[in-house]
Amino acid sequence: MDLLERYLAAVQQELPKEKQQDVTRELKANILDQLDALQEQAPKLTDEERIHSVLKQLGPPKQMAHQFAPPTPLISIGLMPLFRYTLAMVFGILFLIQLIQSSLLWLGNENVGLLLMLKHMAGGYIRDATFAFSAITLGFWAIGKEQGSACTTATSWDPAKLPQLAKPWQRIELSDIFTDLATYLFLLLLIWYPVFGQSLAAVELTLNSRFLLQAFSPLLLLGIALSAWQLKQRYWTEALLKCNLALNALLVTAIVILAWTSPFYSGVPEQLPWLTMEQLERSITITLLIIALFPGWEVIRDWRRLQRM
Amino acid sequence: MTSAQLDKMRLELRRGVLVLAVLSSLKAPHYGYSLRKQLQDAGIDIDEGTLYPLVRRLADQGLLDSEWRQGEGRERRYYQLSEVGADLLTQLTQEWQQLNSALGPLLEH
């Protein structure tokens, strides 16, 4: 009988408090009935052997307890899509906030290098994301508890409002939108910080190149607006594609103009004393032309997509 | 098809049918072991680890009434269909018969 009591205690331990007494009482009664039946079928078995056989048949205590009281997931299945979407949005926004904070730190402090800025950003992001994850999970857990197991089937949806998604590429990934937003915000900070900030530690641009960069700022603002539009409507339409194509074409033009602006730097930075001014300018031109390839590739991609729509 | 897939599908197929079989068997009062015996005699083999929790779930849903009784020097919990359970059984039986008559010709092809 010791084995039976141990089994019941193990099952009890896995059950919610309010069910412990009642379930184990009933389970014990059922097991005793099974033991009686087994005694009739196999009279030669000892008590211990019969108990062992019946318990083996019932399965491990944890499994048995979960059959009586199935474990409920922290986030209910019905809320899972919304939970994942909320997490993705919040993580994206936190990334942007962290990017802005770290960029301001980098631009405003001579002692903070690029690596330190990235470390600050990664550390801050992990801290904020962990907090956000915990808070959102707890929030959804509370909502799930409030709703219970009530089925919330939507009956008022209109099929006519379904998005016009005919091709797989029309879906826009959240990560792509937030990457674009982060790029635009970072560039805007880089360009405008010297105007509003205390000092300029990392960038020593000529007045001419700085003026050009500032003149291109509306393009970056346009990019932010376009990303906001994409956040609202998560698939490519003809209008959105045309806007994106136009924006990227303008960005290519702006970067190419910038590449041929000379001189770009007002002098060789202290950190790169082995470079001549000519080599520095050539490196900048090549780098900018390589950067221009990215929006250039998007122009070609969007053009081809527009042809296929 | 792997044996695991077959087991999973068999389990899904049996799940609903078992509820019907249990409800139907509990028109008369039964305790856990006697219910299992009755089902087994009718050709429905169900292990205790599935049956006992299933009966409790049905009772929690108000489909079964239960009471503890003393007998043969031991206490046992007896279950029987409640009024709600009886109504549900009538509807489920009709549903089962419709499905069965529709499935029959399909399975013969």
Side-chain angles (χ1 to χ4, degrees):
Chain A
M1 279 299 159
D2 179 47
L3 201 56
L4 175 57
E5 294 304 327
R6 276 162 54 200
Y7 183 81
L8 292 172
V11 173
Q12 195 172 27
Q13 204 177 359
E14 298 291 334
L15 288 167
K17 271 211 168 105
E18 66 276 11
K19 286 190 172 179
Q20 285 181 349
Q21 295 301 324
D22 200 34
V23 168
T24 45
R25 183 183 173 195
E26 189 176 350
L27 186 60
K28 185 177 182 179
N30 287 330
I31 292 173
L32 291 175
D33 281 328
Q34 277 177 258
L35 289 171
D36 285 352
L38 191 61
Q39 192 171 22
E40 282 175 26
Q41 289 163 19
K44 286 182 182 172
L45 289 179
T46 63
D47 281 356
E48 282 297 302
E49 283 170 337
R50 278 194 320 228
I51 294 172
H52 189 274
S53 165
V54 167
L55 296 185
K56 184 97 180 144
Q57 209 177 343
L58 281 174
K62 193 178 271 188
Q63 185 186 311
M64 175 52 72
H66 288 174
Q67 290 266 33
F68 277 106
T72 45
L74 204 56
I75 309 294
S76 68
I77 300 294
L79 289 173
M80 193 50 89
L82 184 62
F83 173 70
R84 291 178 65 169
Y85 180 74
T86 309
L87 274 184
M89 288 291 283
V90 170
F91 283 174
I93 290 165
L94 284 178
F95 175 66
L96 295 182
I97 292 171
Q98 201 52 238
L99 178 99
I100 293 169
Q101 282 178 349
S102 303
S103 303
L104 289 174
L105 181 79
W106 176 52
L107 292 167
N109 196 330
E110 279 184 35
N111 301 321
V112 177
L114 191 63
L115 278 178
L116 199 63
M117 171 218 164
L118 290 174
K119 191 182 158 206
H120 177 270
M121 192 171 145
Y125 183 68
I126 290 169
R127 186 193 61 229
D128 291 353
T130 309
F131 177 75
F133 179 80
S134 310
I136 292 168
T137 305
L138 279 173
F140 273 83
W141 169 74
I143 294 168
K145 272 193 95 175
E146 189 74 25
Q147 284 183 352
S149 55
C151 187
T152 52
T153 310
T155 51
S156 58
W157 75 286
D158 183 1
K161 288 181 183 167
L162 282 169
Q164 293 177 342
L165 278 169
K167 303 194 171 59
W169 56 258
Q170 278 185 273
R171 190 180 148 75
I172 309 175
E173 294 295 332
L174 263 183
S175 55
D176 292 343
I177 302 172
F178 278 110
T179 310
D180 286 350
L181 262 175
T183 311
Y184 295 135
L185 280 170
F186 180 72
L187 289 174
L188 269 179
L189 275 173
L190 205 64
I191 294 167
W192 286 98
Y193 189 82
V195 178
F196 301 105
Q198 295 288 313
S199 65
L200 178 64
V203 202
E204 294 287 351
L205 304 175
T206 60
L207 273 177
N208 188 30
S209 53
R210 195 183 315 286
F211 172 76
L212 271 175
L213 276 171
Q214 287 169 358
F216 296 145
S217 301
L219 286 183
L220 301 176
L221 289 173
L222 199 65
I224 291 170
L226 206 61
S227 295
W229 185 3
Q230 289 175 14
L231 271 178
K232 191 169 177 289
Q233 176 194 289
R234 296 269 309 281
Y235 58 94
W236 291 110
T237 56
E238 197 176 334
L240 196 52
L241 266 178
K242 280 180 180 168
C243 287
N244 202 50
L245 190 148
L247 173 70
N248 280 310
L250 288 170
L251 280 173
V252 171
T253 314
I255 296 169
V256 169
I257 292 172
L258 209 58
W260 264 277
T261 303
S262 193
F264 193 82
Y265 260 93
S266 56
V268 178
E270 284 175 14
Q271 299 92 327
L272 308 167
W274 60 87
L275 273 181
T276 64
M277 194 63 194
E278 225 174 77
Q279 286 171 322
L280 181 69
E281 288 297 322
R282 202 178 315 128
S283 305
I284 291 168
T285 304
I286 293 168
T287 308
L288 285 170
L289 288 176
I290 291 171
I291 290 171
L293 289 177
F294 291 96
W297 175 80
E298 283 201 27
V299 168
I300 297 166
R301 182 199 67 185
D302 291 347
W303 175 259
R304 290 183 62 186
R305 283 177 174 178
L306 272 172
Q307 300 298 309
R308 279 182 277 157
M309 277 195 102
Chain B
M1 176 179 275
T2 64
S3 140
Q5 277 176 311
L6 178 66
D7 285 348
K8 195 180 165 206
M9 288 196 167
R10 268 183 61 197
L11 202 72
E12 282 175 19
L13 190 64
R14 281 168 58 94
R15 194 169 289 145
V17 181
L18 282 177
V19 171
L20 193 58
V22 168
L23 289 177
S24 183
S25 298
L26 287 174
K27 284 175 192 160
H30 277 288
Y31 56 92
Y33 185 74
S34 70
L35 174 63
R36 189 191 168 223
K37 196 86 183 57
Q38 166 150 330
L39 289 168
Q40 213 168 22
D41 292 344
I44 298 171
D45 197 16
I46 174 171
D47 64 90
E48 297 87 349
T50 306
L51 179 64
Y52 301 154
L54 170 64
V55 171
R56 275 195 68 101
R57 276 204 298 277
L58 295 174
D60 287 345
Q61 289 169 29
L63 303 176
L64 305 176
D65 292 327
S66 72
E67 62 170 341
W68 285 94
R69 289 186 205 165
Q70 290 287 334
E72 299 167 30
R74 173 179 312 150
E75 60 168 7
R76 287 180 176 124
R77 190 173 202 162
Y78 280 77
Y79 290 94
Q80 188 168 11
L81 266 187
S82 66
E83 272 186 45
V84 182
D87 285 348
L88 187 81
L89 176 63
T90 310
Q91 291 171 46
L92 284 178
T93 306
Q94 283 172 4
E95 189 71 29
W96 169 255
Q97 281 161 350
Q98 278 177 13
L99 271 174
N100 207 20
S101 54
L103 263 177
L106 280 175
L107 294 174
E108 279 168 19
H109 279 93

